[in-house]
Amino acid sequence: MSSTSPSAAESAGQLLRHHPAFLLFWLASVASTIALQMQIVAVGWQVYQLTHSAFDLGIVGLVQFIPSLVLVFVVGHVADRYDRRNVARFSALVEALASALLAIGSLGGWLNREMIFAIVFIIGAGRAFSKPTMQAMLPGLMPPSLLPRAVAGSASATQVAIIIGPAIGGFLYVLGPQTVYISSCVLFGLCSLLLSLIKLPPAAALRGKVNGASLSSVFAGLAFIRSKPAIFGAISLDMFAVLLGGATALLPVYAHDILQTDSVGLGLLRSAPAVGALAVALFLARHPLRGRVGRTMFIAVGIFGVSTIVFGLSHSFVLSLLALAVLGASDMISVVVRSSFVQLETPDEMRGRVSAVNSVFIGTSNQLGEFESGLTAAWFGAMPAVLIGGIGTLLVVFLWVRLFPQLYRVDRLAPPKTK
């Protein structure tokens, strides 16, 4: 075994203490995710109060997703061509500007349904650049042998923020939506500042490996993914599972109409998946998966589908919280396996473009999944929409086991061997 292999006792906390660049990256991720999650609660509650339309909640997800789809190849090329740190910094500033516009519109009373959609589109454009760029940046901060732990540690940051963000957003919304949006603006600015303090290793800071924006270089990320069946299977499994099982877009409907709670209850419901996910992320940061990771990923996605069904049937606030916590825990296992596997199997000079395509798949499962949930809820009602999604997720798991046996047989998360 290589001397650089981490001991079983090395935890996420030790990674933060011994790798200053990772600590700054971790803090930046926390700040931006808290800001985003606060925004999600405020925007969802504000839109539903304005329109009382589940379909409009789906539109919020759709307008966030469109920039990721339109800009996917531009984003990947930029992340591989330019300093990833500066790209992520600028993206955070764009999101801060959008938050300021939401605050000004709320204070001025001119923030209607259409204006919210337009500003959310700007937020989606910022996320289209920031998310894949930061994903591509992470491997440059850590030795390859520590990457699975770093991914789990980074995921724990995201889950801490997802727990804190919605709860804070729900409480602050009592003071008015502008309070939430101003707080988000400050946090996005803090994220940009923290990213500027990261000192990248020379090899990670130096960009320019992509010479010019030729069609072959721009589309290389998609071509690479298609050439690797196991990678394509991992990304597409996550996409279709969350696309079908994405019940979170309907949380304002469940909170208001089914569970009979308020904005604070909505914040707690938003936080519940992250509680389960954080527990799993912290566990995996200390005890990474050792074997049969492909099979484990399939089992986790299956549990995700079952949890979605339980949530869809629940009329109890406590049971709904528990179902969402299990849903988040199972999703985190899938996230760690997929993220580590894709990053370890991708050369550094390709990571920006591969991460951009990966983000579109993830964006499809999240934002487009919200649109799908809103649309099916408008057609059939909120509860049937969630049940259809959960059942569909289970069907995808059984189908993907047959379509991608290479993924099912993946045993370990490790860098590919070099000759």
Side-chain angles (χ1 to χ4, degrees):
M1 182 178 290
S2 169
S3 61
T4 62
S5 297
S7 68
E10 185 165 13
S11 66
Q14 290 172 309
L15 288 175
L16 295 173
R17 287 194 299 272
H18 299 306
H19 299 274
F22 179 64
L23 173 60
L24 290 169
F25 180 92
W26 194 92
L27 291 172
S29 297
V30 169
S32 65
T33 308
I34 289 177
L36 182 65
Q37 293 301 317
M38 290 168 61
Q39 268 186 357
I40 288 172
V41 169
V43 168
W45 197 255
Q46 195 171 23
V47 168
Y48 197 64
Q49 283 186 323
L50 285 171
T51 69
H52 293 282
S53 169
F55 181 75
D56 283 341
L57 292 175
I59 293 293
V60 171
L62 180 62
V63 296
Q64 286 185 79
F65 167 70
I66 290 173
S68 296
L69 180 63
V70 173
L71 297 172
V72 53
F73 299 114
V74 175
V75 168
H77 188 82
V78 167
D80 283 336
R81 175 66 173 166
Y82 301 103
D83 189 325
R84 291 168 182 160
R85 175 183 45 196
N86 289 333
V87 174
R89 286 173 56 202
F90 180 76
S91 302
L93 291 177
V94 170
E95 293 173 274
L97 174 62
S99 299
L101 288 174
L102 287 169
I104 293 170
S106 297
L107 285 170
W110 51 262
L111 195 65
N112 57 24
R113 169 181 176 271
E114 288 71 25
M115 287 302 303
I116 292 176
F117 291 160
I119 297 172
V120 166
F121 182 88
I122 296 173
I123 295 171
R127 297 298 292 177
F129 280 91
S130 65
K131 190 171 182 179
T133 302
M134 291 186 71
Q135 286 176 350
M137 188 192 306
L138 178 58
L141 305 179
M142 307 296 297
S145 59
L146 290 179
L147 184 60
R149 292 176 184 270
V151 168
S154 179
S156 71
T158 300
Q159 299 311 317
V160 167
I162 293 175
I163 293 170
I164 296 172
I168 295 176
F171 281 107
L172 289 180
Y173 196 92
V174 175
L175 302 176
Q178 66 276 2
T179 307
V180 181
Y181 298 137
I182 291 170
S183 302
S184 294
C185 179
V186 172
L187 287 171
F188 280 128
L190 177 61
C191 170
S192 181
L193 175 62
L194 290 168
L195 290 171
S196 70
L197 298 176
I198 293 177
K199 304 298 182 185
L200 294 176
L206 181 63
R207 301 264 67 85
K209 296 175 182 178
V210 180
N211 298 316
S214 66
L215 284 177
S216 61
S217 69
V218 169
F219 288 94
L222 182 60
F224 179 84
I225 290 173
R226 290 187 62 185
S227 71
K228 303 287 185 179
I231 292 179
F232 181 65
I235 294 174
S236 58
L237 173 64
D238 181 87
M239 181 189 77
F240 282 106
V242 181
L243 172 65
L244 294 170
T248 54
L250 300 177
L251 287 182
V253 180
Y254 265 80
H256 188 275
D257 298 339
I258 298 175
L259 300 176
Q260 304 294 314
T261 186
D262 55 12
S263 65
V264 176
L266 174 60
L268 294 175
L269 289 170
R270 280 281 185 186
S271 299
V275 172
L278 175 62
V280 169
L282 292 175
F283 178 83
L284 293 177
R286 179 176 290 273
H287 305 287
L289 298 172
R290 298 293 184 185
R292 299 182 177 180
V293 296
R295 186 179 71 171
T296 300
M297 181 180 182
F298 278 105
I299 293 173
V301 177
I303 294 173
F304 179 90
V306 172
S307 302
T308 300
I309 294 171
V310 172
F311 171 78
L313 293 171
S314 173
H315 285 78
S316 162
F317 187 76
V318 173
L319 178 59
S320 297
L321 287 175
L322 291 174
L324 289 171
V326 174
L327 181 149
S330 58
D331 184 51
M332 178 50 57
I333 296 173
S334 174
V335 166
V336 170
V337 173
R338 172 181 49 77
S339 298
S340 301
F341 181 65
V342 171
Q343 294 290 4
L344 287 170
E345 293 290 323
T346 305
D348 181 65
E349 64 271 16
M350 289 285 298
R351 282 188 177 127
R353 285 163 288 175
V354 170
S355 294
V357 176
N358 185 24
S359 289
V360 169
F361 278 82
I362 296 170
T364 299
S365 63
N366 291 324
Q367 279 79 45
L368 197 56
E370 292 180 8
F371 174 69
E372 178 271 336
S373 295
L375 185 62
T376 54
W379 287 344
F380 309 115
M383 186 173 292
V386 174
L387 295 177
I388 290 170
I391 294 169
T393 298
L394 295 178
L395 293 176
V396 166
V397 170
F398 289 118
L399 181 60
W400 255 237
V401 170
R402 293 185 174 275
L403 291 178
F404 299 97
Q406 305 94 331
L407 175 61
Y408 186 84
R409 292 195 295 266
V410 171
D411 186 52
R412 296 171 59 247
L413 295 174
K417 295 179 179 180
T418 57
K419 295 182 180 179

